[in-house]
Short mmCIF file of all heavy atoms in Angstrom, two decimals:
data_model
loop_
_atom_site.label_atom_id
_atom_site.label_comp_id
_atom_site.label_asym_id
_atom_site.label_seq_id
_atom_site.Cartn_x
_atom_site.Cartn_y
_atom_site.Cartn_z
N ASN A 1 1.11 13.39 28.15
CA ASN A 1 1.22 14.48 29.12
C ASN A 1 1.16 14.01 30.58
O ASN A 1 1.04 14.82 31.48
CB ASN A 1 0.15 15.54 28.85
CG ASN A 1 0.49 16.89 29.45
OD1 ASN A 1 1.65 17.15 29.80
ND2 ASN A 1 -0.50 17.74 29.59
N TYR A 2 1.19 12.70 30.79
CA TYR A 2 1.37 12.12 32.12
C TYR A 2 2.59 11.21 32.04
O TYR A 2 2.68 10.38 31.13
CB TYR A 2 0.14 11.32 32.56
CG TYR A 2 -1.08 12.16 32.89
CD1 TYR A 2 -1.88 12.69 31.89
CD2 TYR A 2 -1.45 12.39 34.22
CE1 TYR A 2 -3.00 13.44 32.18
CE2 TYR A 2 -2.57 13.14 34.52
CZ TYR A 2 -3.35 13.66 33.50
OH TYR A 2 -4.46 14.40 33.81
N ILE A 3 3.52 11.33 32.98
CA ILE A 3 4.76 10.56 32.91
C ILE A 3 4.49 9.07 32.84
O ILE A 3 5.08 8.35 32.03
CB ILE A 3 5.67 10.90 34.12
CG1 ILE A 3 6.19 12.34 34.00
CG2 ILE A 3 6.85 9.92 34.19
CD1 ILE A 3 7.01 12.78 35.20
N ASP A 4 3.56 8.58 33.69
CA ASP A 4 3.30 7.14 33.72
C ASP A 4 2.71 6.65 32.40
O ASP A 4 2.94 5.50 32.01
CB ASP A 4 2.35 6.80 34.87
CG ASP A 4 3.00 6.96 36.23
OD1 ASP A 4 4.23 7.08 36.27
OD2 ASP A 4 2.28 6.94 37.25
N HIS A 5 1.93 7.50 31.72
CA HIS A 5 1.39 7.10 30.43
C HIS A 5 2.49 7.03 29.38
O HIS A 5 2.50 6.12 28.54
CB HIS A 5 0.29 8.06 29.98
CG HIS A 5 -0.24 7.77 28.60
ND1 HIS A 5 -0.73 6.53 28.24
CD2 HIS A 5 -0.34 8.55 27.49
CE1 HIS A 5 -1.12 6.57 26.98
NE2 HIS A 5 -0.88 7.77 26.50
N ALA A 6 3.44 7.96 29.41
CA ALA A 6 4.57 7.90 28.49
C ALA A 6 5.35 6.60 28.70
O ALA A 6 5.75 5.94 27.73
CB ALA A 6 5.47 9.11 28.68
N HIS A 7 5.54 6.23 29.97
CA HIS A 7 6.27 5.01 30.27
C HIS A 7 5.53 3.79 29.75
O HIS A 7 6.14 2.88 29.15
CB HIS A 7 6.51 4.89 31.77
CG HIS A 7 7.50 5.88 32.29
ND1 HIS A 7 7.64 6.17 33.64
CD2 HIS A 7 8.41 6.67 31.66
CE1 HIS A 7 8.59 7.09 33.80
NE2 HIS A 7 9.07 7.40 32.61
N GLU A 8 4.19 3.72 29.96
CA GLU A 8 3.46 2.54 29.53
C GLU A 8 3.40 2.45 28.00
O GLU A 8 3.26 1.36 27.44
CB GLU A 8 2.05 2.51 30.12
CG GLU A 8 1.07 3.50 29.53
CD GLU A 8 -0.35 3.32 30.04
OE1 GLU A 8 -0.63 2.32 30.71
OE2 GLU A 8 -1.18 4.23 29.77
N ALA A 9 3.48 3.61 27.33
CA ALA A 9 3.48 3.63 25.87
C ALA A 9 4.86 3.32 25.30
O ALA A 9 5.00 3.16 24.08
CB ALA A 9 3.01 4.99 25.37
N GLY A 10 5.87 3.24 26.18
CA GLY A 10 7.23 2.97 25.72
C GLY A 10 7.84 4.13 24.96
O GLY A 10 8.68 3.92 24.08
N MET A 11 7.43 5.35 25.30
CA MET A 11 7.91 6.53 24.60
C MET A 11 8.59 7.47 25.59
O MET A 11 8.26 7.49 26.77
CB MET A 11 6.75 7.25 23.91
CG MET A 11 6.05 6.41 22.86
SD MET A 11 4.67 7.30 22.10
CE MET A 11 4.02 6.03 21.01
N PRO A 12 9.55 8.27 25.12
CA PRO A 12 10.24 9.19 26.02
C PRO A 12 9.31 10.28 26.54
O PRO A 12 8.36 10.69 25.85
CB PRO A 12 11.35 9.79 25.14
CG PRO A 12 10.88 9.60 23.74
CD PRO A 12 10.07 8.33 23.74
N VAL A 13 9.56 10.73 27.76
CA VAL A 13 8.79 11.84 28.32
C VAL A 13 9.11 13.09 27.50
O VAL A 13 10.28 13.43 27.32
CB VAL A 13 9.15 12.06 29.80
CG1 VAL A 13 8.45 13.29 30.35
CG2 VAL A 13 8.79 10.81 30.62
N PRO A 14 8.12 13.76 26.97
CA PRO A 14 8.39 14.89 26.07
C PRO A 14 9.00 16.09 26.79
O PRO A 14 8.65 16.39 27.94
CB PRO A 14 7.00 15.24 25.51
CG PRO A 14 6.03 14.69 26.51
CD PRO A 14 6.67 13.48 27.11
N ALA A 15 9.90 16.76 26.10
CA ALA A 15 10.50 17.98 26.63
C ALA A 15 9.59 19.19 26.41
O ALA A 15 9.68 20.19 27.12
CB ALA A 15 11.86 18.22 25.98
N GLU A 16 8.75 19.11 25.39
CA GLU A 16 7.75 20.13 25.10
C GLU A 16 6.43 19.42 24.80
O GLU A 16 6.43 18.24 24.43
CB GLU A 16 8.14 20.97 23.87
CG GLU A 16 9.40 21.79 24.05
CD GLU A 16 9.65 22.71 22.85
OE1 GLU A 16 8.68 23.22 22.26
OE2 GLU A 16 10.83 22.90 22.51
N PRO A 17 5.30 20.10 24.96
CA PRO A 17 4.01 19.47 24.67
C PRO A 17 3.95 18.96 23.22
O PRO A 17 4.39 19.64 22.29
CB PRO A 17 3.00 20.59 24.91
CG PRO A 17 3.66 21.49 25.90
CD PRO A 17 5.12 21.46 25.55
N ILE A 18 3.42 17.75 23.07
CA ILE A 18 3.16 17.17 21.75
C ILE A 18 1.75 17.56 21.34
O ILE A 18 0.79 17.27 22.06
CB ILE A 18 3.30 15.64 21.79
CG1 ILE A 18 4.73 15.24 22.13
CG2 ILE A 18 2.86 15.01 20.47
CD1 ILE A 18 4.90 13.76 22.41
N ILE A 19 1.61 18.22 20.20
CA ILE A 19 0.30 18.68 19.74
C ILE A 19 -0.14 17.84 18.54
O ILE A 19 0.64 17.62 17.61
CB ILE A 19 0.34 20.16 19.30
CG1 ILE A 19 0.88 21.05 20.43
CG2 ILE A 19 -1.04 20.64 18.87
CD1 ILE A 19 1.14 22.48 19.99
N PHE A 20 -1.37 17.36 18.58
CA PHE A 20 -1.96 16.74 17.38
C PHE A 20 -3.42 17.15 17.31
O PHE A 20 -3.97 17.70 18.27
CB PHE A 20 -1.79 15.22 17.38
CG PHE A 20 -2.44 14.51 18.53
CD1 PHE A 20 -3.75 14.05 18.44
CD2 PHE A 20 -1.73 14.26 19.70
CE1 PHE A 20 -4.33 13.37 19.50
CE2 PHE A 20 -2.32 13.59 20.78
CZ PHE A 20 -3.63 13.15 20.67
N THR A 21 -4.03 16.91 16.18
CA THR A 21 -5.42 17.32 15.99
C THR A 21 -6.34 16.11 15.95
O THR A 21 -5.94 15.00 15.58
CB THR A 21 -5.61 18.12 14.70
OG1 THR A 21 -5.25 17.29 13.59
CG2 THR A 21 -4.76 19.37 14.70
N LYS A 22 -7.58 16.34 16.33
CA LYS A 22 -8.63 15.34 16.29
C LYS A 22 -9.73 15.93 15.41
O LYS A 22 -10.18 17.06 15.65
CB LYS A 22 -9.14 15.08 17.71
CG LYS A 22 -9.87 13.78 17.91
CD LYS A 22 -10.09 13.56 19.40
CE LYS A 22 -10.81 12.25 19.66
NZ LYS A 22 -9.92 11.09 19.56
N ALA A 23 -10.14 15.23 14.39
CA ALA A 23 -11.14 15.77 13.47
C ALA A 23 -12.42 16.12 14.21
O ALA A 23 -12.89 15.35 15.06
CB ALA A 23 -11.44 14.75 12.37
N THR A 24 -12.98 17.29 13.90
CA THR A 24 -14.24 17.67 14.56
C THR A 24 -15.38 16.75 14.16
O THR A 24 -16.38 16.67 14.88
CB THR A 24 -14.59 19.13 14.24
OG1 THR A 24 -14.65 19.31 12.83
CG2 THR A 24 -13.56 20.08 14.82
N SER A 25 -15.24 16.02 13.05
CA SER A 25 -16.27 15.06 12.66
C SER A 25 -16.29 13.84 13.58
O SER A 25 -17.20 13.00 13.48
CB SER A 25 -16.05 14.61 11.21
OG SER A 25 -14.73 14.15 11.01
N SER A 26 -15.31 13.74 14.49
CA SER A 26 -15.31 12.65 15.46
C SER A 26 -16.22 12.93 16.65
O SER A 26 -16.52 12.03 17.44
CB SER A 26 -13.88 12.41 15.99
OG SER A 26 -13.47 13.46 16.86
N ILE A 27 -16.68 14.17 16.78
CA ILE A 27 -17.40 14.59 17.98
C ILE A 27 -18.78 13.94 18.06
O ILE A 27 -19.54 13.92 17.09
CB ILE A 27 -17.53 16.12 18.01
CG1 ILE A 27 -16.15 16.77 18.23
CG2 ILE A 27 -18.51 16.57 19.10
CD1 ILE A 27 -16.16 18.27 18.09
N ILE A 28 -19.10 13.41 19.25
CA ILE A 28 -20.43 12.90 19.57
C ILE A 28 -20.76 13.33 20.99
O ILE A 28 -19.93 13.88 21.71
CB ILE A 28 -20.51 11.37 19.44
CG1 ILE A 28 -19.47 10.68 20.35
CG2 ILE A 28 -20.34 10.94 17.99
CD1 ILE A 28 -19.61 9.16 20.41
N GLY A 29 -22.00 13.06 21.40
CA GLY A 29 -22.40 13.33 22.76
C GLY A 29 -21.76 12.37 23.75
O GLY A 29 -21.22 11.32 23.37
N PRO A 30 -21.84 12.68 25.04
CA PRO A 30 -21.11 11.91 26.06
C PRO A 30 -21.60 10.47 26.23
O PRO A 30 -20.85 9.63 26.71
CB PRO A 30 -21.33 12.71 27.33
CG PRO A 30 -22.61 13.46 27.10
CD PRO A 30 -22.58 13.81 25.64
N ASN A 31 -22.84 10.20 25.83
CA ASN A 31 -23.39 8.86 26.02
C ASN A 31 -23.81 8.21 24.71
O ASN A 31 -24.52 7.20 24.72
CB ASN A 31 -24.59 8.93 26.98
CG ASN A 31 -24.22 9.56 28.31
OD1 ASN A 31 -23.19 9.25 28.88
ND2 ASN A 31 -25.06 10.45 28.81
N ASP A 32 -23.38 8.79 23.59
CA ASP A 32 -23.68 8.20 22.30
C ASP A 32 -22.82 6.94 22.08
O ASP A 32 -21.77 6.77 22.69
CB ASP A 32 -23.40 9.20 21.17
CG ASP A 32 -24.38 10.37 21.17
OD1 ASP A 32 -25.45 10.24 21.79
OD2 ASP A 32 -24.06 11.40 20.54
N ASP A 33 -23.27 6.08 21.17
CA ASP A 33 -22.52 4.87 20.87
C ASP A 33 -21.19 5.21 20.19
O ASP A 33 -21.11 6.12 19.36
CB ASP A 33 -23.31 3.96 19.93
CG ASP A 33 -24.50 3.30 20.60
OD1 ASP A 33 -24.59 3.34 21.84
OD2 ASP A 33 -25.34 2.73 19.88
N VAL A 34 -20.16 4.45 20.54
CA VAL A 34 -18.88 4.50 19.84
C VAL A 34 -18.89 3.41 18.79
O VAL A 34 -19.16 2.24 19.09
CB VAL A 34 -17.71 4.29 20.83
CG1 VAL A 34 -16.41 4.00 20.08
CG2 VAL A 34 -17.54 5.51 21.72
N LEU A 35 -18.60 3.78 17.54
CA LEU A 35 -18.61 2.83 16.43
C LEU A 35 -17.18 2.55 15.98
O LEU A 35 -16.47 3.47 15.54
CB LEU A 35 -19.43 3.38 15.27
CG LEU A 35 -20.89 3.71 15.58
CD1 LEU A 35 -21.59 4.26 14.34
CD2 LEU A 35 -21.63 2.49 16.11
N LEU A 36 -16.75 1.30 16.08
CA LEU A 36 -15.41 0.93 15.65
C LEU A 36 -15.34 0.94 14.13
O LEU A 36 -16.23 0.42 13.46
CB LEU A 36 -15.06 -0.47 16.16
CG LEU A 36 -15.08 -0.67 17.68
CD1 LEU A 36 -14.77 -2.13 18.01
CD2 LEU A 36 -14.09 0.25 18.38
N PRO A 37 -14.30 1.53 13.54
CA PRO A 37 -14.15 1.50 12.08
C PRO A 37 -14.15 0.06 11.57
O PRO A 37 -13.75 -0.86 12.29
CB PRO A 37 -12.80 2.18 11.84
CG PRO A 37 -12.58 3.04 13.05
CD PRO A 37 -13.20 2.29 14.19
N PRO A 38 -14.58 -0.16 10.32
CA PRO A 38 -14.68 -1.52 9.79
C PRO A 38 -13.39 -2.33 9.88
O PRO A 38 -13.42 -3.55 10.07
CB PRO A 38 -15.09 -1.30 8.33
CG PRO A 38 -15.78 0.03 8.33
CD PRO A 38 -15.08 0.85 9.37
N THR A 39 -12.24 -1.66 9.73
CA THR A 39 -10.96 -2.39 9.75
C THR A 39 -10.22 -2.25 11.06
O THR A 39 -9.05 -2.63 11.17
CB THR A 39 -10.06 -1.91 8.59
OG1 THR A 39 -9.78 -0.51 8.76
CG2 THR A 39 -10.72 -2.14 7.24
N SER A 40 -10.88 -1.71 12.08
CA SER A 40 -10.20 -1.49 13.36
C SER A 40 -9.88 -2.80 14.06
O SER A 40 -10.73 -3.69 14.17
CB SER A 40 -11.08 -0.64 14.27
OG SER A 40 -10.56 -0.61 15.59
N VAL A 41 -8.64 -2.92 14.55
CA VAL A 41 -8.25 -4.07 15.36
C VAL A 41 -7.62 -3.64 16.69
O VAL A 41 -7.43 -4.47 17.58
CB VAL A 41 -7.26 -4.98 14.59
CG1 VAL A 41 -7.94 -5.64 13.41
CG2 VAL A 41 -6.02 -4.21 14.14
N LYS A 42 -7.31 -2.35 16.84
CA LYS A 42 -6.61 -1.89 18.04
C LYS A 42 -7.19 -0.58 18.55
O LYS A 42 -6.47 0.39 18.80
CB LYS A 42 -5.10 -1.73 17.76
CG LYS A 42 -4.38 -3.03 17.42
CD LYS A 42 -2.89 -2.82 17.21
CE LYS A 42 -2.19 -4.14 16.89
NZ LYS A 42 -0.73 -3.96 16.67
N SER A 43 -8.49 -0.52 18.74
CA SER A 43 -9.12 0.70 19.27
C SER A 43 -8.98 0.74 20.79
O SER A 43 -9.06 -0.29 21.48
CB SER A 43 -10.58 0.77 18.85
OG SER A 43 -10.69 1.08 17.48
#
């Protein structure tokens, strides 16, 4: 939803908003630790 971010991602600027969901089980407080998944290599 920012033109420069679309460019850096190598993706076309969307003609309509792209909607996706984020699981509510991902929610933590603003200063809680972020835990990388066991197989994560590109977080």
Side-chain angles (χ1 to χ4, degrees):
N1 201 17
Y2 289 78
I3 291 176
D4 290 347
H5 175 55
H7 289 164
E8 73 173 350
M11 298 179 183
V13 175
E16 296 186 35
I18 297 170
I19 305 172
F20 61 91
T21 61
K22 200 170 181 78
T24 56
S25 53
S26 72
I27 292 172
I28 57 173
N31 304 316
D32 291 342
D33 289 347
V34 166
L35 302 179
L36 301 178
T39 61
S40 169
V41 293
K42 296 182 179 180
S43 287

